[in-house]
């Protein structure tokens, strides 16, 4: 066995010296020639002087990804006063065209500008979108032959152009003739951005007035006017009356600084007043909320004054003449040939709810603020003073102001009970 290992060792060394000799013949210096590792040589562990080669090295710890700052970020920080408005945004786009004549990295700059538009408040400005499209180099990305038209010519640039048009679509911005001229000049007619433009011109014009309840593009900034708009948007009865029970104020009558008093705006129709007058005083009514309502990009919250559904034995069925019924005729006596597999029952999901007597929007969602709304309703609904009111208030929202933050006098005593949804005993006590 020892002789076999010696023969293998000599053969390996001869191969190593042969490689060195061949390198020396070719003219390579001896210091640059590294001895080759002998192959097909298996030695026992006793031949090693140390066990360092047998111990595996621990893996190197992986370095976390470094968050590099986005390129062209400094262009949006050159405003002298740090203002984020349309003028500073347009100046940043113009600076990119002045300092970068060849427009290198224009795709990254356009993506960065699209992300910054909401911060500068220009996400609904058509002129700014046309200014971003003007950043693209002209007559460069247009296809020149049939093969470039079949395949996506400059795909990254076309995807960036489509991203600009998609953001316009998300914010409801209609492209104009200038947008079409820029897209033809940049990408040509046979391109995906131009196809996106044609589809937007087609469907935007058709769906522009499809909403039966239109909402103004520029929403009012005053919370009272915004509450009026939201209540009118929810109430289908045109004869309903909007009442402002409390205006927001930050100073009291003495002129000293005081905590802000939230606004309270409510709406009620004549039919709701009549239903509240006919309500049984022995049954409580409930103040529930807050519920969210989105008006474009703004979220407001409202509360309702409602009652539980009456049991079937106490309901008064109102007879509707057949000529007034929208589903006339009410019965069809038609004798069709049916088999045993026919289903005579239809699955109709009908959820019956109790009547809603009034709706309000307030700047705070605590019991003290909503109690003022109930007091204001008692002026036009005298029967409300004899009906117990139970508050079912959900978790607080972002607009919530705690009752401890409102240093106000205690309202006159009302027959009002507070109800927690997770406390049935307290609910029974309040109803009794």
């Amino acid at each position: 066995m020892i002789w076999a290992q010696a023969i293998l060792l000599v053969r390996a060394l001869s191969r190593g010296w042969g490689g060195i000799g061949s390198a020396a013949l070719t003219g390579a210096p001896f210091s640059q020639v590294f001895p080759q590792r002998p192959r097909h040589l298996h030695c026992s562990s006793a031949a090693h002087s140390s066990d360092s080669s047998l111990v595996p090295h621990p893996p190197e710890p992986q370095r976390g990804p470094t968050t590099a700052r986005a390129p062209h970020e400094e262009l949006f920080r050159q405003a002298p006063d740090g203002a984020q408005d349309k003028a500073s945004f347009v100046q940043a786009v113009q600076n990119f065209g002045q300092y970068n004549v060849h427009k290198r990295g224009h795709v990254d700059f356009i993506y960065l500008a699209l992300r910054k538009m909401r911060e500068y408040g220009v996400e609904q400005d058509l002129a700014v979108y046309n200014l971003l499209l003007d950043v693209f180099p002209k007559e460069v990305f247009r296809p020149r032959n049939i093969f470039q038209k079949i395949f996506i010519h400059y795909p990254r640039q076309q995807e960036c152009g489509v991203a600009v048009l998609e953001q316009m679509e998300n914010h409801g911005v209609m492209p104009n003739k200038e947008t079409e001229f820029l897209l033809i000049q940049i990408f040509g007619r046979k391109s995906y951005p131009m196809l996106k433009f044609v589809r937007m011109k087609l469907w935007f014009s058709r769906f522009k007035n499809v909403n039966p309840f239109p909402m103004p593009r520029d929403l009012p900034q005053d919370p009272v006017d915004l509450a009026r708009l939201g209540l009118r948007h929810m109430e289908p009865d045109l004869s309903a009356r909007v009442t402002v029970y409390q205006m927001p104020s930050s100073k009291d009558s003495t002129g000293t600084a005081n905590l802000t008093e939230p606004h309270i705006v409510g709406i009620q129709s004549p039919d709701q007043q009549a239903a509240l007058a006919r309500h049984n005083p022995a049954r409580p009514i409930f103040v529930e909320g807050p519920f969210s309502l989105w008006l474009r990009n703004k979220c407001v919250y409202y509360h309702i004054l409602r009652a539980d559904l009456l049991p079937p034995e106490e309901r008064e069925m109102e007879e509707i003449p057949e000529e007034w019924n929208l589903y006339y005729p009410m019965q069809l006596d038609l004798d069709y040939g049916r088999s045993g597999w026919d289903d005579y029952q239809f699955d109709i999901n009908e959820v019956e709810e109790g009547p809603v007597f009034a709706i309000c929007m307030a700047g705070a969602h605590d019991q003290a603020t909503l109690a003022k709304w109930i007091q204001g309703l008692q002026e036009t609904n005298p029967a409300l003073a004899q009906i117990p009111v139970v508050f079912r208030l959900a978790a607080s929202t972002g607009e919530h102001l705690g009752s401890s933050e409102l240093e106000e006098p205690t309202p006159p005593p009302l027959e009002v009970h507070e109800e927690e949804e997770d406390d049935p005993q307290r609910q029974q006590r309040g109803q009794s």
Side-chain angles (χ1 to χ4, degrees):
M1 187 65 185
I2 298 176
W3 287 102
Q5 293 182 358
I7 292 172
L8 293 175
L9 182 59
V10 171
R11 186 177 299 175
L13 290 176
S14 63
R15 290 180 180 178
W17 284 106
I20 296 176
S22 61
L25 292 176
T26 57
F30 184 79
S31 59
Q32 296 180 2
V33 178
F34 299 95
Q36 297 180 0
R37 184 178 178 182
R39 292 177 296 181
H40 306 288
L41 181 62
H42 302 278
C43 301
S44 62
S45 59
H48 295 276
S49 59
S50 63
D51 295 340
S52 61
S53 60
L54 300 178
V55 179
H57 296 282
E60 296 182 0
Q62 297 181 358
R63 298 180 179 179
T66 57
T67 57
R69 192 176 63 180
H72 314 294
E73 185 79 25
E74 64 279 356
L75 293 176
F76 293 93
R77 301 180 180 178
Q78 295 179 359
D81 52 351
Q84 293 184 345
D85 52 1
K86 180 180 177 180
S88 58
F89 188 89
V90 172
Q91 186 64 33
V93 177
Q94 293 177 354
N95 290 340
F96 174 79
Q98 293 176 0
Y99 300 132
N100 196 347
V101 181
H102 300 286
K103 296 185 178 180
R104 294 189 179 93
H106 62 276
V107 175
D108 297 332
F109 175 77
I110 292 175
Y111 278 123
L112 176 63
L114 290 177
R115 296 193 299 268
K116 293 286 185 178
M117 291 184 72
R118 186 179 292 272
E119 300 178 9
Y120 286 79
V122 293
E123 67 274 6
Q124 294 182 352
D125 198 331
L126 177 60
V128 176
Y129 286 105
N130 292 335
L131 186 64
L132 285 181
L133 290 176
D134 196 24
V135 174
F136 283 101
K138 310 300 186 295
E139 304 291 339
V140 178
F141 309 129
R142 299 183 63 176
R144 304 296 179 181
N145 50 54
I146 188 62
F147 297 102
Q148 293 179 354
K149 293 180 180 180
I150 294 175
F151 300 99
I152 303 178
H153 193 52
Y154 286 95
R156 189 163 182 260
Q157 283 73 13
Q158 290 199 35
E159 290 177 359
C160 183
V162 172
V164 176
L165 295 176
E166 283 185 352
Q167 185 158 330
M168 294 174 60
E169 181 183 3
N170 294 336
H171 293 286
V173 180
M174 172 74 83
N176 57 0
K177 286 292 183 181
E178 183 181 358
T179 310
E180 181 181 5
F181 176 76
L182 289 171
L183 292 175
I184 295 175
Q185 193 177 11
I186 298 169
F187 302 106
R189 293 190 178 274
K190 301 295 183 179
S191 60
Y192 283 95
M194 194 62 194
L195 179 62
K196 179 69 175 179
F197 168 81
V198 172
R199 290 174 176 174
M200 289 176 63
K201 292 289 289 184
L202 174 65
W203 295 111
F204 267 39
S205 59
R206 294 190 177 185
F207 293 144
K208 183 178 181 181
N209 301 318
V210 72
N211 188 4
F213 308 101
M215 182 67 59
R217 179 176 295 273
D218 298 329
L219 297 177
Q221 300 298 328
D222 188 12
V224 177
D225 296 338
L226 188 64
R228 284 175 177 164
L229 180 63
L231 292 174
R232 283 295 182 187
H233 196 70
M234 288 189 297
E235 179 59 51
D237 193 352
L238 299 180
S239 61
R241 179 183 177 185
V242 178
T243 306
V244 180
Y245 297 99
Q246 179 174 291
M247 293 292 294
S249 61
S250 58
K251 291 184 178 180
D252 56 5
S253 59
T254 59
T256 58
N258 191 11
L259 295 178
T260 303
E261 294 182 358
H263 65 277
I264 305 174
V265 184
I267 188 171
Q268 191 178 31
S269 64
D271 294 340
Q272 290 175 333
Q273 292 181 358
L276 184 58
R278 295 192 305 265
H279 184 74
N280 186 6
R283 293 184 175 274
I285 57 178
F286 307 94
V287 177
E288 296 182 353
F291 305 102
S292 60
L293 173 67
W294 283 94
L295 303 175
R296 290 195 181 274
N297 58 345
K298 291 186 178 180
C299 183
V300 293
Y301 298 90
Y302 65 94
H303 297 78
I304 61 174
L305 180 66
R306 59 174 295 271
D308 285 337
L309 189 65
L310 293 176
E313 60 273 6
E314 297 183 10
R315 299 180 191 177
E316 296 180 0
M317 300 300 295
E318 183 180 0
E319 296 183 1
I320 302 177
E322 294 184 356
E323 60 271 11
W324 291 1
N325 192 355
L326 296 178
Y327 299 98
Y328 176 85
M330 301 180 64
Q331 295 181 357
L332 291 177
D333 298 331
L334 300 177
D335 188 9
Y336 288 109
R338 294 176 177 266
S339 63
W341 296 95
D342 291 336
D343 189 6
Y344 288 88
Q345 297 179 356
F346 300 94
D347 296 332
I348 301 177
N349 296 326
E350 294 183 357
V351 180
E352 296 183 353
E353 297 181 352
V356 177
F357 300 123
I359 309 175
C360 89
M361 288 187 181
H365 311 294
D366 54 340
Q367 182 177 347
T369 303
L370 298 176
K372 294 182 178 180
W373 174 46
I374 301 299
Q375 292 177 3
L377 285 175
Q378 290 180 0
E379 298 178 1
T380 55
N381 301 272
L384 184 59
Q386 309 298 329
I387 303 174
V389 180
V390 181
F391 286 83
R392 290 177 175 176
L393 303 181
S396 61
T397 60
E399 299 179 357
H400 176 72
L401 295 176
S403 57
S404 61
E405 301 178 7
L406 302 175
E407 299 179 356
E408 300 175 348
T410 305
L414 289 173
E415 195 174 354
V416 176
H417 308 277
E418 181 182 2
E419 177 183 343
E420 298 289 341
E421 294 183 358
D422 55 350
D423 193 354
Q425 297 180 358
R426 194 170 185 177
Q427 175 182 356
Q428 296 177 0
R429 193 185 317 120
Q431 293 179 358
S432 60

